[in-house]
Amino acid sequence: MSQHFQHDVLVIGSGAAGLTLALTLPSHLNIAVLSKADLSNGSTFWAQGGVAAVLDDTDTVDSHVEDTLVAGAGLCREDAVRFTVEHSRAAIQWLIDQGVPFTREDENAREDGGFEFHLTREGGHSHRRIIHAADATGAAIFNTLLEQAKKRPNIQLLEQRVAVDLITERKLGRDGQRCLGAYVLNRDNGEVDTCHARFTVLASGGAAKVYLYTSNPDGACGDGIAMAWRAGCRVGNLEFNQFHPTCLYHPQAKSFLITEAVRGEGGLLRLPNGERFMQRFHPRAELAPRDVVARAIDHEMKRLGVDCVYLDISHKPAEFVKSHFPTVYERCLHFGIDITREPIPVVPAAHYTCGGVVVDHHGRTDIPGLYAIGETSFTGLHGANRMASNSLLECFVYGRSAAEDIVDQLDQVEMPIDLPTWDASQVTDSDEDVIIAHNWDELRRFMWDYVGIVRTNKRLQRAQHRVRLLLSEIDEFYSNYKVSRDLIELRNLAQVAELMIRSAMQRHESRGLHYTLDYPDLLPEARDTILVPPTFGD
């Protein structure tokens, strides 16, 4: 039997943003944090890099802001960048106070008694400002925040829960637009529960799973973006999807990144016949910027009709390779590839969704009572190209800001009552899972081929035609059969894909991560692409 639950705050997503918000809220509130699989299934756990923040006395807020604006190719919202950076030090101190084991600086290496933690530097940053925990920062942060959340009796951590849709006053035919909670599939029993909530927070990550190849875990299906759009929220800049140039190409290796340091230490990119090609695309060849390398690989794969290219470091001494890249060596060996003797098959992979649900500095969406934080949101921080290690920072700054805003409104918002139970009376069990699997595969393939790293008007038009057919087919399926995680995710992915295609068609220029052969130049004025749902403001 489906059940009704009441929460002061319902958090959909259990990564860095969702846990930060839950831990920042007062302990007298009843908080539920949902994870649609195991708790560690999100992107946070897998983040290797670190968190960018102004921590050292030699660094400045203005410098971090300027670096971010440059990386964003003229499209960052400067007020959002400044807000994020100005709150960066406090966010890092909060993480330290939670017990995150950041790598400490060697006492003897400190200059002028500076910051006690080790800071590294990454692409686009003019200073050492990346605080990290070795090369597994995401896991260190996630594990610490999860342990803290488990100690709080007021925080319920619920696994195997898939949000189906938001409940709003408008959808129920009532006066007003407020979000009242969500319908949530309990995968353990197959029932859809009704979750009443005074405040609902979307912290469900990005949408990179819309592409055939991605570095993201399986759950990155754009659920929060799709649910917010259906509820009446605007979305922004969904044409900007960041691709990592080298992901291991192997049927069993879903999302293993081959670090860019392999190219930094002399790794060469080769075609299947062994020929190098990067020198034809950029004077720095393999050391060209990430987006240039990704476009070059994509170009060669499409030109030759091949499934992958190869990254070769086998010309280096075996001991050098093993000592510099132990993780890559072991992982590839697991799949039968000895990188000291043979090249690594690689493809570019979708990595980060720069756009999302339009929010303000407090993570508030267009719908009262509904917040979006982390990769689900569009704050204006990333512009047309995300700078390294700003994404985790965004999770902490906006998670904390949203929590403060919720606290400010507690006295004014009562628990919603009389919400209808999910109606499953007209649906039947599906024996056609093959249709879901086929549609899923078709969607991710045409998004990769037509809305990928390099775009054209013709490719986008083909993609739009296909996604609209797919959406109507999925809608019919959704109306007639019991919901499952696969069906919910397919529905959300198709919706976000349609929004990505529409956004890309509206941008008649090449800027940042959006590169189109039909409009190779920049327009003189940088503008965001904001899509407005049909229900907005009517």
Side-chain angles (χ1 to χ4, degrees):
M1 282 287 292
S2 63
Q3 296 178 276
H4 283 250
F5 297 97
Q6 294 191 343
H7 308 287
D8 292 311
V9 184
L10 176 67
V11 184
I12 300 170
S14 60
L19 290 175
T20 296
L21 176 131
L23 288 167
T24 305
L25 288 168
S27 58
H28 68 272
L29 295 181
N30 172 10
I31 302 163
V33 178
L34 308 186
S35 175
K36 63 181 180 180
D38 298 333
L39 285 163
S40 62
N41 205 45
S43 293
T44 299
F45 184 82
W46 300 102
Q48 294 173 12
V51 190
V54 179
L55 301 166
D56 195 291
D57 294 341
T58 63
D59 197 4
T60 65
V61 166
D62 286 342
S63 174
H64 190 166
V65 168
E66 181 60 29
D67 289 347
T68 303
L69 294 176
V70 169
L75 208 60
C76 298
R77 294 185 171 180
E78 188 168 352
D79 61 329
V81 177
R82 192 162 288 281
F83 173 81
T84 307
V85 175
E86 284 177 347
H87 289 82
S88 65
R89 188 157 197 155
I92 297 300
Q93 188 58 54
W94 180 80
L95 289 170
I96 292 168
D97 293 344
Q98 300 303 308
V100 176
F102 289 119
T103 300
R104 290 185 177 270
E105 183 64 277
D106 181 342
E107 286 284 341
N108 301 321
R110 263 194 241 170
E111 298 173 14
D112 306 323
F115 194 59
E116 65 183 290
F117 293 93
H118 181 260
L119 301 176
T120 189
R121 185 171 164 179
E122 292 182 359
H125 292 277
S126 59
H127 283 77
R128 284 186 171 269
R129 64 166 70 101
I130 316 299
I131 190 169
H132 61 101
D135 64 351
T137 307
I141 291 172
F142 175 80
N143 289 333
T144 303
L145 297 186
L146 183 61
E147 283 308 308
Q148 291 291 352
K150 285 177 177 176
K151 294 176 186 173
R152 304 275 185 98
N154 67 310
I155 298 177
Q156 276 184 287
L157 299 166
L158 301 171
E159 298 181 309
Q160 310 300 330
R161 301 296 200 282
V162 185
V164 182
D165 251 330
L166 298 169
I167 305 169
T168 64
E169 290 175 324
R170 179 200 291 271
K171 282 187 183 179
L172 298 179
R174 301 177 183 176
D175 291 336
Q177 295 184 334
R178 190 170 185 86
C179 182
L180 307 173
Y183 291 115
V184 176
L185 170 67
N186 181 339
R187 294 177 66 200
D188 292 333
N189 61 18
E191 298 289 344
V192 176
D193 297 324
T194 307
C195 293
H196 307 233
R198 294 164 72 190
F199 302 92
T200 304
V201 182
L202 299 170
S204 52
K209 206 72 184 174
V210 77
Y211 289 104
L212 186 59
Y213 304 113
T214 172
S215 65
N216 286 196
D218 279 348
C221 297
D223 301 311
I225 299 170
M227 285 190 289
W229 172 262
R230 287 194 294 267
C233 293
R234 292 169 300 155
V235 296
N237 284 7
L238 283 172
E239 68 270 38
F240 297 110
N241 298 283
Q242 192 172 56
F243 288 80
H244 193 288
T246 53
C247 191
L248 177 61
Y249 178 72
H250 189 280
Q252 271 85 52
K254 272 188 175 171
S255 54
F256 183 68
L257 288 184
I258 306 298
T259 171
E260 296 190 52
V262 172
R263 283 181 284 119
E265 293 292 347
L268 302 173
L269 284 164
R270 300 186 186 277
L271 299 176
N273 67 1
E275 176 193 339
R276 289 182 63 196
F277 59 90
M278 275 310 304
Q279 70 279 5
R280 290 192 268 114
F281 293 90
H282 196 277
R284 294 180 63 194
E286 278 79 8
L287 299 179
R290 177 185 284 192
D291 57 329
V292 175
V293 178
R295 278 202 294 272
I297 295 173
D298 179 76
H299 175 85
E300 292 300 297
M301 286 172 58
K302 284 190 169 71
R303 180 177 72 84
L304 296 171
V306 295
D307 292 330
C308 65
V309 297
Y310 295 85
L311 179 58
D312 188 7
I313 190 121
S314 64
H315 51 280
K316 291 281 188 179
E319 286 310 311
F320 174 90
V321 174
K322 291 178 188 176
S323 63
H324 276 70
F325 307 110
T327 309
V328 174
Y329 174 74
E330 291 294 337
R331 185 72 168 160
C332 288
L333 204 59
H334 174 73
F335 295 112
I337 303 162
D338 183 349
I339 70 172
T340 67
R341 295 169 175 267
E342 58 192 314
I344 310 164
V346 293
V347 290
H351 192 52
Y352 190 85
T353 308
C354 288
V357 183
V358 175
V359 297
D360 64 9
H361 290 348
H362 298 295
R364 291 182 292 212
T365 69
D366 294 319
I367 295 176
L370 180 66
Y371 295 76
I373 52 178
E375 198 175 348
T376 302
S377 69
F378 165 62
T379 62
L381 171 64
H382 302 303
N385 197 352
R386 175 185 73 99
M387 189 166 70
S389 296
N390 269 351
S391 45
L392 278 174
L393 175 64
E394 183 182 46
C395 291
F396 308 126
V397 169
Y398 282 84
R400 283 158 52 81
S401 182
E404 290 166 10
D405 193 66
I406 288 170
V407 170
D408 287 344
Q409 298 178 60
L410 283 174
D411 296 341
Q412 305 147 39
V413 180
E414 295 182 356
M415 185 69 68
I417 54 172
D418 300 329
L419 300 188
T421 300
W422 177 260
D423 182 10
S425 60
Q426 304 300 313
V427 299
T428 60
D429 281 315
S430 167
D431 57 358
E432 295 288 354
D433 287 348
V434 66
I435 294 174
I436 295 176
H438 179 85
N439 286 352
W440 179 282
D441 187 60
E442 183 188 348
L443 174 71
R444 297 179 70 206
R445 281 185 186 279
F446 75 63
M447 284 298 289
W448 180 261
D449 288 339
Y450 299 151
V451 200
I453 297 166
V454 177
R455 299 158 182 182
T456 67
N457 288 344
K458 192 175 285 186
R459 289 176 192 170
L460 292 174
Q461 285 161 4
R462 284 176 178 162
Q464 187 174 55
H465 176 67
R466 278 165 171 74
V467 81
R468 285 179 174 170
L469 289 173
L470 215 49
L471 276 169
S472 60
E473 202 172 296
I474 293 165
D475 199 46
E476 193 240 336
F477 209 81
Y478 180 79
S479 303
N480 291 302
Y481 297 106
K482 281 186 76 170
V483 294
S484 63
R485 172 177 170 172
D486 285 348
L487 178 56
I488 294 165
E489 289 185 336
L490 176 63
R491 179 181 182 231
N492 290 336
L493 271 180
Q495 180 58 75
V496 175
E498 194 268 338
L499 297 172
M500 286 178 177
I501 295 163
R502 210 191 308 175
S503 299
M505 292 179 86
Q506 286 191 20
R507 185 164 294 280
H508 293 173
E509 64 170 349
S510 289
R511 183 183 295 275
L513 300 166
H514 174 77
Y515 184 82
T516 168
L517 298 176
D518 291 303
Y519 306 104
D521 300 320
L522 278 175
L523 288 174
E525 185 182 356
R527 289 188 178 177
D528 292 322
T529 306
I530 306 295
L531 300 183
V532 180
T535 54
F536 185 80
D538 59 9

